[in-house]
Amino acid sequence: MHKLTQSLAAIGLAAVMSQFAMAETLKLGFLVKQPEEPWFQTEWKFADKAGKELNFEVIKIAVPDGEKTLNAIDSLAASGAKGFVICTPDPKLGAAIVAKARSYDLKVIAVDDRFVTAKGKPMDSVPLVMMAATKIGERQGNELYREMQKRGWETKETAVMAITANELDTARRRTGGSLAALRAAGFPEKQIYQVPTKSNDIPGAFDAGNSLLVQHPEVKHWLIVGMNDNTVLGGVRASEGQGFKAADVVGIGINGVDAVSELSKSQATGFYGSLLPSPDVHGYRSIKMLHDWVVNGTEPARFTEVTDVVLITRDNFKTELAKKGLM
Ligand code: GLA
């Protein structure tokens, strides 16, 4: 009898303990549109860091399209997650994402790309963590202009290739800022050429850049503007394809972490450098905000802008990335 009591007590204790364990491991999702970009891998890595420190599990899911996004929300709910951070593959999915999340009582924070309504209006009701797009774009334009002057290029022989992705709010603001800074510095408007990319990757930007280059055989030197590293890399690859040497091309990307292999090449290319914001902060802070919302009921700020940025080139990228714990 004594034995039976003991073992019943043991079973009871085990049940209580497992319930305790279940209650303890909070699960939160982190969904990204392009997991092949080191930018998003870095966000994941730092979301995991927050998870370890604050004792929750991060469920990381790649969501390259709308269908995968909605399925991911179903599976998060099925696994008992309480919310998710997302960089959506399409800002117009915003309303569908919010509706599905609500149906499961999941909390949502957007990172990087802002949700928009079907009419293209920003959905300000969803908390957003985002880079200071206009400011970082302006920095891109100023650095391009500075490098052009340093190389002693004549303005009349130089043109700007701006590869655009205007349907994406953050991209439009970055490129807009960059071109505004170039104009303000005195670069002639009539030598600024814009071309939209069909997809936000190197092949898309390559095609866009190429179509522009063949229309302007008169241009000797190119400054390349784009919303991120891959866009600028596509433009640089197109210039190489058209026979331009590294000395006649200056491309400056944005993201930094996506430029590491390019900047590590033994020979310099037309890709001069990249503006490195803080993917670590985006990943860590967004999911910490979600954690605090779920666990403590702390409403996140509607808008968190991450401003710090540093120009990395072949000369300093290792040191600068190491300073942020990114290399
Ligand atoms: C967008 C871009 C990414 C990255 C993030 C940063 O999502 O597609 O490459 O620049 O913004 O916020």
Side-chain angles (χ1 to χ4, degrees):
M1 191 60 204
H2 184 63
K3 268 218 162 115
L4 185 62
T5 321
Q6 260 186 348
S7 49
L8 279 177
I11 291 168
L13 186 66
V16 169
M17 274 173 63
S18 79
Q19 255 188 352
F20 183 71
M22 270 164 58
E24 277 301 286
T25 25
L26 169 67
K27 290 177 183 164
L28 300 174
F30 204 117
L31 281 45
V32 304
K33 62 176 182 179
Q34 287 178 286
E36 72 284 359
E37 281 187 5
W39 174 271
F40 294 108
Q41 294 163 20
T42 310
E43 286 186 339
W44 270 350
K45 191 171 147 207
F46 283 84
D48 268 335
K49 184 168 177 257
K52 285 213 185 74
E53 286 174 18
L54 298 164
N55 191 30
F56 59 86
E57 184 191 333
V58 183
I59 304 179
K60 298 180 280 294
I61 310 177
V63 291
D65 59 41
E67 198 187 330
K68 293 215 169 65
T69 304
L70 298 179
N71 288 341
I73 301 172
D74 288 329
S75 78
L76 279 177
S79 69
K82 296 285 182 243
F84 57 93
V85 171
I86 182 168
C87 179
T88 175
D90 177 357
K92 287 207 171 87
L93 284 169
I97 293 169
V98 169
K100 201 175 237 315
R102 273 212 193 117
S103 77
Y104 290 123
D105 202 17
L106 297 177
K107 294 189 160 48
V108 187
I109 291 182
V111 69
D112 299 314
D113 297 357
R114 194 199 296 262
F115 292 173
V116 297
T117 63
K119 286 187 180 148
K121 285 242 152 54
M123 287 177 61
D124 295 328
S125 55
V126 179
L128 172 70
V129 176
M130 185 190 187
M131 71 164 73
T134 307
K135 232 173 107 191
I136 293 175
E138 286 166 357
R139 178 80 187 274
Q140 184 187 54
N142 285 327
E143 294 291 352
L144 284 168
Y145 195 83
R146 194 197 316 260
E147 188 58 24
M148 176 189 82
Q149 288 185 312
K150 214 166 99 194
R151 294 186 188 199
W153 294 352
E154 291 221 37
T155 318
K156 62 175 192 299
E157 295 178 342
T158 309
V160 171
M161 170 198 291
I163 302 174
T164 62
N166 287 338
E167 61 294 342
L168 201 61
D169 167 72
T170 182
R172 189 177 59 248
R173 296 213 265 149
R174 292 177 212 178
T175 325
S178 186
L179 298 184
L182 280 158
R183 286 183 201 111
F187 198 87
E189 177 69 49
K190 62 176 196 339
Q191 283 144 243
I192 297 179
Y193 305 117
Q194 300 191 45
V195 60
T197 180
K198 287 208 179 74
S199 55
N200 289 323
D201 51 19
I202 296 178
F206 176 89
D207 288 346
N210 207 38
S211 71
L212 219 164
L213 288 166
V214 297
Q215 289 172 49
H216 297 285
E218 76 286 359
V219 177
K220 285 217 175 104
H221 318 286
W222 284 99
L223 301 176
I224 304 182
V225 166
M227 70 112 161
N228 65 7
D229 288 333
N230 280 348
T231 313
V232 174
L233 281 169
V236 170
R237 294 289 94 88
S239 73
E240 290 163 351
Q242 293 296 327
F244 283 88
K245 297 271 176 310
D248 291 311
V249 177
V250 180
I252 297 179
I254 294 173
N255 276 4
V257 284
D258 301 2
V260 172
S261 54
E262 183 75 9
L263 296 175
S264 304
K265 286 181 175 171
S266 58
Q267 295 285 321
T269 70
F271 189 93
Y272 172 71
S274 176
L275 294 162
L276 168 67
S278 303
D280 49 332
V281 175
H282 285 224
Y284 189 96
R285 198 178 293 170
S286 59
I287 204 143
K288 179 175 186 307
M289 277 165 50
L290 181 66
H291 165 271
D292 294 352
W293 195 6
V294 168
V295 173
N296 309 325
T298 316
E299 284 267 346
R302 284 291 136 96
F303 186 53
T304 304
E305 195 174 46
V306 186
T307 52
D308 50 319
V309 65
V310 49
L311 175 68
I312 59 170
T313 64
R314 290 165 63 81
D315 296 334
N316 69 350
F317 74 99
K318 285 192 183 133
T319 332
E320 290 301 332
L321 287 162
K323 273 190 205 163
K324 291 190 170 211
L326 299 176
M327 210 171 167

